[in-house]
Amino acid sequence: MFTPPVRTVHTVLKPNNRSLTFDEDRFIRYSERMLEDYPHLDRSRWHRSVMSKLRQPSVHASDITQACIMTALELVTREQPDWKFVAARSLLTKLYKEAALNRSYKAYADKPYGDFLKLIRSLVTTGVYREELLLCYTPEQIRELGATIAPQCDELFDYIGLLTLRERYLAADFEGRTMELPQERYMVIAMYLMHKEPEERRVQLAKEAYWAMSNLYMTAATPTMANAGKKVAGQLSSCFIDTVDDSLEGIFDSNTAVARLSKMGGGIGVYLGKIRARGSDIRGHKNSSSGVIPWIRQLNNTAVSVDQLGTRKGAIAVYLDVFHKDILSFLDLKLNNGDERMRAHDIFHGISIPDLFMEAVEQREDWHLFCPHEVKKVMGWTDDNGRPVGLEDFFDEKLGEGTFRERYAEAVANPRLSRITLPAIDIMKRVLKSQLETGTPYMFYKDCANRSNPNQAHGVIYSSNLCTEIMQNQSPTVVEQEELVVRDGQTRIVITKVPGDFVVCNLNSIHLARAVRADVLERLIPIQVRMLDNVIDINNIEVLQAQYTNHRYRAIGLGTFGLHHLLALEGIAWESEAAVTYNDHLYEKIHYLAIQSSMALAREKGAYPLFQGSQWESGRYFEQRDYTTANRPGLYVSTEQWRKLADAVKEYGLRNAWLMAVAPNGSTSIIAGSTASVDPVYELLSYEEKTTYKIANPAPDLSEKTMWYYKTAFHIDQHWSIQMAGARQRHLDQGQSFNLYVRPDIRAVEFLALHLHAWKAGLKSTYYVRSQALTVEECEACSS
């Protein structure tokens, strides 16, 4: 117990127009409750600072709470990071009081939550929640689920995590008043994601999903977190990738599809490699095409004008092949100098790179740029169905040999094919310059992505998404015909399209530092995979080709975050062989459990429609990674276990065509109080800027012990990060949002060496190049 100083405040003004005499004993009890789990913190100092902020004779009750919060935040340091939890507890009391007032119930310290059934009924009636919550669960079941809610789990949040949850995700009424509390948000998500499950298992599965989220063993992606169970909200999927057909109809249809998805909160990737280059012919008219840049500028305008549910501008990434004739102007898209008519500052861009280009860079050879339209017309290549194909449709099936380099050599040797020829290193210099100035372009290593594609029998991967972790089959949607049709005396314009593979991915992520150390992966991953699979059946995507692709492949992206947090707790240095080996074994186990979970779902519900012909079915997927072909040292999974799983997959199928993708997890890792994705910690004590103040955000579980293992991003040798990423990549059937952290004064030869290392290590992509002199925007949609 501590002795408070002489107070100056005498009267407390309550929200219901009552005024009370300031009760010093009550405030001391409140202080003790806020600090009871942190005996090492200086209570007297905190109390004195709070009271110094309350010098008026009368204050509002909310002013006292705010003074408690601000004082705790001011006391956060590297040496005493736990003040962030004290601030969170003060914010919690504020949230509890607001919800109780808005929902007309009495909140007590030991029972801060109200009637869950009453909340559901009220918000369904007012149109905030979806009717399915009442239609698919009986009142008794909702009461049972409400009794499962664990208010003590709210104490897992630190201040910035709780604040983020409150500001972005908790349901409010149409007047903006807080109605939902954190654990109710998790329970509503769980109920909604499980509402189509068989009635006899529905409640238990909802409880299991709630267990996973409430203990912060995992996080759902931002679209799911924000929208699940809510009526007036966006869709639940995170990522989309479109492939644009080389036609006026295809270009404008794609722009419309992008706009419709962007308004619902989706992050968009657009592959433009099939569009003819600047100066190409149109219907035989020479030098008529304006190339890809004008269409990118249109997408840029779409990103700005079609915002995401009124909260932020759309987020769109465009990709182009490094052998496309427009690649040089494409690389200059985001630079701050030059012709503004050739710039698109609100768009993100990435380049699709074959192995042959990286070889040409390394060996200082020439590189040739072609127009995809002209390649198709002159070369006359066709696929098995007789359709014209271009260079973009091929990849090297083996490292150092394959179809792409053969076709590229044929194109180079054809004198009728126009081209631009320049040293490959000159293109790479443009890439490096843009990355240091803008953080982009992203690098997508196409051959590696396609070689390890388990569904390569059904298509080609041309590019990635906004955050470079999604890698699935793509193809353009083509307008077949447009005609006037008279039906029942009514004239209609009917447009017929052949749907392409319009990529959709659904994300959530494992909190490594909590789940691994709690030893719950075997229980956690099956419910995560089920949650993701259910999103596919629940979600209603406005763009029909995306809906069609979603059900054909049923792709999901199980990811992770908190890697540096976990390594620090385990006492493993980032720059070490131990970290590389730990990555290898850990991600192999996660991959094994993900495949096992999807196989179990296929046994229960059926395999994805295109399972036949896949490398999952043939077993090639497992052989390619040496899972079943050799006895390897492994911390978690033996070769015999892999062989049994491969046999089970062959017998029962797989529910999901792709399973794993490591997203950036920017905002949701903040909620969970951990480090983002597979990134090293940025600073031991970073700050989140608010309108009038800054919030100190220490590295998670920062202590005298972990501090030694929290070497910060710009001080880490990036080659160690690449080695770890290479070890992980073998166990990711898709990709990972992998950032490079460089200093502004990095030498060009060192910068180039990082890219060559990433390519040789088998990475399928690299995301931002982050420089201390550069601020880049995070993708909200892919946060999971």
Side-chain angles (χ1 to χ4, degrees):
M1 186 68 68
F2 57 86
T3 303
V6 177
R7 59 182 169 83
T8 55
V9 61
H10 298 286
T11 306
V12 180
L13 305 177
K14 306 293 282 186
N16 51 8
N17 295 322
R18 290 186 302 139
S19 62
L20 300 173
T21 301
F22 181 79
D23 187 336
E24 193 168 334
D25 291 337
R26 182 179 179 183
F27 183 69
I28 291 172
R29 289 195 300 272
Y30 171 84
S31 302
E32 288 292 338
R33 193 169 76 249
M34 294 300 99
L35 288 151
E36 64 183 345
D37 292 330
Y38 307 102
H40 55 288
L41 299 180
D42 188 338
R43 286 156 165 71
S44 295
R45 182 184 179 192
W46 182 69
H47 191 277
R48 284 195 303 272
S49 185
V50 170
M51 295 307 295
S52 71
K53 293 178 172 63
L54 303 171
R55 295 188 179 278
Q56 301 84 356
S58 62
V59 296
H60 291 277
S62 59
D63 294 334
I64 298 176
T65 304
Q66 190 63 20
C68 292
I69 292 170
M70 296 308 297
T71 296
L73 292 176
E74 290 165 2
L75 294 172
V76 173
T77 62
R78 293 183 187 181
E79 293 72 29
Q80 292 194 327
D82 286 342
W83 283 110
K84 65 182 180 179
F85 292 105
V86 177
R89 291 192 176 186
S90 294
L91 178 57
L92 266 177
T93 62
K94 182 178 180 180
L95 274 178
Y96 292 155
K97 289 174 183 177
E98 286 178 0
L101 181 65
N102 297 336
R103 288 160 51 180
S104 303
Y105 69 87
K106 181 70 174 176
Y108 298 95
D110 60 343
K111 192 179 179 183
Y113 277 66
D115 187 311
F116 187 55
L117 175 59
K118 185 177 178 182
L119 172 70
I120 299 286
R121 283 174 169 165
S122 172
L123 294 192
V124 168
T125 301
T126 56
V128 175
Y129 281 166
R130 299 185 66 89
E131 293 85 351
E132 289 91 335
L133 298 175
L134 287 178
L135 294 174
C136 298
Y137 296 89
T138 67
E140 292 73 21
Q141 289 173 330
I142 295 175
R143 288 192 186 96
E144 181 182 344
L145 290 167
T148 305
I149 285 175
Q152 67 271 20
C153 288
D154 286 343
E155 296 182 3
L156 295 174
F157 297 114
D158 63 16
Y159 177 77
I160 193 168
L162 185 62
L163 184 67
T164 303
L165 187 65
R166 178 201 184 192
E167 290 181 343
R168 300 188 188 181
Y169 301 101
L170 298 184
D173 64 13
F174 291 107
E175 296 177 11
R177 298 181 304 169
T178 301
M179 303 299 286
E180 192 181 59
L181 291 172
Q183 299 307 312
E184 290 165 336
R185 172 87 303 244
Y186 287 138
M187 185 59 83
V188 168
I189 294 170
M191 290 171 65
Y192 188 62
L193 293 188
M194 298 301 158
H195 81 269
K196 288 191 175 183
E197 289 286 352
E199 187 176 355
E200 65 275 11
R201 302 185 61 203
R202 195 175 297 155
V203 170
Q204 185 54 43
L205 288 170
K207 287 182 180 179
E208 192 72 356
Y210 170 75
W211 164 82
M213 290 184 286
S214 65
N215 284 288
L216 298 185
Y217 293 138
M218 62 156 287
T219 58
T222 287
T224 304
M225 193 74 172
N227 300 329
K230 297 179 185 175
K231 190 168 186 176
V232 184
Q235 47 74 47
L236 306 181
S237 296
S238 299
C239 303
F240 303 88
I241 310 174
D242 192 16
T243 305
V244 184
D245 183 44
D246 183 32
S247 66
L248 195 63
E249 296 86 352
I251 291 167
F252 278 97
D253 274 5
S254 175
N255 203 324
T256 300
V258 166
R260 295 173 74 185
L261 292 170
S262 184
K263 75 172 183 180
M264 303 305 287
I268 317 292
V270 182
Y271 172 68
L272 299 165
K274 292 184 175 294
I275 296 178
R276 65 196 69 195
R278 182 184 178 93
S280 180
D281 68 282
I282 299 177
R283 296 177 180 172
H285 295 277
K286 301 296 183 183
N287 300 315
S288 298
S289 173
S290 55
V292 301
I293 303 301
W295 305 123
I296 293 173
R297 285 174 58 81
Q298 281 207 350
L299 285 168
N300 190 96
N301 293 337
T302 298
V304 173
S305 57
V306 184
D307 63 18
Q308 299 186 353
L309 303 174
T311 58
R312 58 183 179 270
K313 66 185 179 184
I316 301 170
V318 291
Y319 283 82
L320 197 69
D321 297 292
V322 76
F323 48 80
H324 193 289
K325 261 190 179 180
D326 288 347
I327 191 64
L328 298 178
S329 53
F330 180 82
L331 290 173
D332 293 343
L333 270 176
K334 291 176 69 68
L335 297 183
N336 292 318
N337 51 27
D339 187 352
E340 274 299 309
R341 292 170 298 178
M342 301 295 284
R343 300 292 179 263
H345 297 292
D346 302 290
I347 215 84
F348 303 89
H349 62 331
I351 49 175
S352 184
I353 304 168
D355 289 342
L356 194 60
F357 173 76
M358 298 302 288
E359 293 168 14
V361 168
E362 191 172 30
Q363 296 163 19
R364 302 302 192 266
E365 295 176 345
D366 281 345
W367 187 249
H368 304 274
L369 311 179
F370 301 99
C371 169
H373 170 70
E374 191 179 348
V375 168
K376 288 186 177 118
K377 188 171 67 172
V378 172
M379 300 307 296
W381 299 324
T382 59
D383 63 14
D384 293 339
N385 297 310
R387 292 172 298 206
V389 294
L391 279 172
E392 73 275 8
D393 296 301
F394 301 104
F395 65 93
D396 281 349
E397 294 82 0
K398 294 182 180 179
L399 189 63
E401 60 179 281
T403 309
F404 173 80
R405 63 185 63 221
E406 293 169 4
R407 292 288 187 262
Y408 176 82
E410 290 176 31
V412 171
N414 193 319
R416 294 189 300 122
L417 198 58
S418 66
R419 81 284 311 274
I420 298 171
T421 301
L422 71 166
I425 191 66
D426 286 357
I427 299 175
M428 197 64 177
K429 287 176 184 176
R430 299 275 280 266
V431 170
L432 302 182
K433 179 178 185 289
S434 179
Q435 287 179 334
L436 285 176
E437 288 191 25
T438 71
T440 58
Y442 312 140
M443 309 288 271
F444 173 69
Y445 298 112
K446 179 182 174 182
D447 289 342
C448 183
N450 278 280
R451 276 195 294 269
S452 59
N453 176 14
N455 297 283
Q456 62 183 247
H458 302 304
V460 176
I461 304 171
Y462 296 115
S463 66
S464 189
N465 66 319
L466 180 64
C467 302
T468 75
E469 85 277 22
I470 304 304
M471 294 162 193
Q472 301 172 23
N473 291 348
Q474 301 167 244
S475 58
T477 294
V478 178
V479 177
E480 193 172 53
Q481 65 177 2
E482 185 174 345
E483 57 182 337
L484 286 172
V485 176
V486 179
R487 292 176 182 166
D488 300 325
Q490 298 290 323
T491 303
R492 299 284 186 269
I493 298 175
V494 177
I495 300 173
T496 305
K497 302 178 185 178
V498 179
D501 283 333
F502 195 118
V503 173
V504 182
C505 205
N506 313 289
L507 306 175
N508 67 28
S509 294
I510 300 166
H511 185 332
L512 292 175
R514 286 189 59 80
V516 172
R517 287 174 65 82
D519 195 23
V520 297
L521 290 179
E522 285 83 355
R523 178 181 174 185
L524 176 65
I525 291 174
I527 195 64
Q528 284 187 268
V529 170
R530 186 180 291 270
M531 291 165 73
L532 289 171
D533 187 67
N534 285 350
V535 165
I536 296 165
D537 293 320
I538 293 169
N539 215 7
N540 183 27
I541 303 171
E542 286 188 14
V543 177
L544 295 183
Q545 58 266 39
Q547 183 87 329
Y548 174 67
T549 304
N550 206 20
H551 285 274
R552 283 193 350 135
Y553 289 108
R554 305 190 66 85
I556 62 174
L558 177 68
T560 64
F561 66 92
L563 177 63
H564 202 179
H565 187 184
L566 174 62
L567 291 176
L569 290 172
E570 293 290 326
I572 300 174
W574 188 277
E575 298 169 306
S576 68
E577 289 293 344
V580 175
T581 302
Y582 189 83
N583 262 260
D584 189 8
H585 294 162
L586 175 59
Y587 281 85
E588 179 176 354
K589 178 179 182 179
I590 293 170
H591 193 30
Y592 174 87
L593 292 171
I595 296 171
Q596 187 181 62
S597 301
S598 187
M599 179 275 296
L601 271 183
R603 190 174 183 180
E604 177 186 332
K605 299 182 177 184
Y608 70 94
L610 294 179
F611 174 74
Q612 288 189 347
S614 71
Q615 291 188 352
W616 299 115
E617 183 198 33
S618 68
R620 172 66 181 148
Y621 181 86
F622 304 96
E623 295 167 5
Q624 192 180 51
R625 287 155 179 77
D626 290 332
Y627 288 155
T628 57
T629 55
N631 288 311
R632 307 166 342 280
L635 186 62
Y636 296 119
V637 188
S638 69
T639 301
E640 185 57 32
Q641 285 175 293
W642 275 115
R643 287 172 181 161
K644 288 180 179 177
L645 180 57
D647 290 342
V649 168
K650 185 176 183 66
E651 181 177 358
Y652 300 113
L654 212 61
R655 183 68 171 166
N656 315 100
W658 290 273
L659 294 168
M660 292 193 66
V662 179
N665 299 301
S667 59
T668 46
S669 64
I670 289 174
I671 291 172
S674 192
T675 53
S677 192
V678 289
D679 277 7
V681 69
Y682 197 80
E683 295 285 355
L684 290 182
L685 188 66
S686 58
Y687 291 89
E688 293 288 327
E689 298 266 356
K690 293 297 175 183
T691 307
T692 58
Y693 62 97
K694 293 194 298 186
I695 302 171
N697 187 27
D701 283 306
L702 187 61
S703 67
E704 290 183 358
K705 176 186 175 185
T706 60
M707 188 179 294
W708 297 105
Y709 299 99
Y710 271 138
K711 192 171 184 179
T712 55
F714 290 106
H715 293 93
I716 284 174
D717 180 348
Q718 297 300 296
H719 289 286
W720 281 108
S721 298
I722 291 168
Q723 279 187 254
M724 282 202 284
R728 282 191 299 272
Q729 188 63 76
R730 186 164 67 99
H731 312 299
L732 302 172
D733 53 358
Q734 296 189 75
Q736 52 190 312
S737 297
F738 176 76
N739 293 302
L740 287 170
Y741 290 85
V742 302
R743 298 189 181 191
D745 59 350
I746 187 172
R747 295 169 59 227
V749 66
E750 296 170 350
F751 197 11
L752 176 60
L754 290 176
H755 283 297
L756 290 170
H757 186 186
W759 164 60
K760 290 178 179 179
L763 271 67
K764 298 177 185 177
S765 67
T766 59
Y767 191 29
Y768 283 113
V769 171
R770 296 183 182 268
S771 164
Q772 288 170 307
L774 178 68
T775 300
V776 294
E777 295 184 42
E778 295 287 355
C779 168
E780 293 288 348
C782 289
S783 297
S784 63

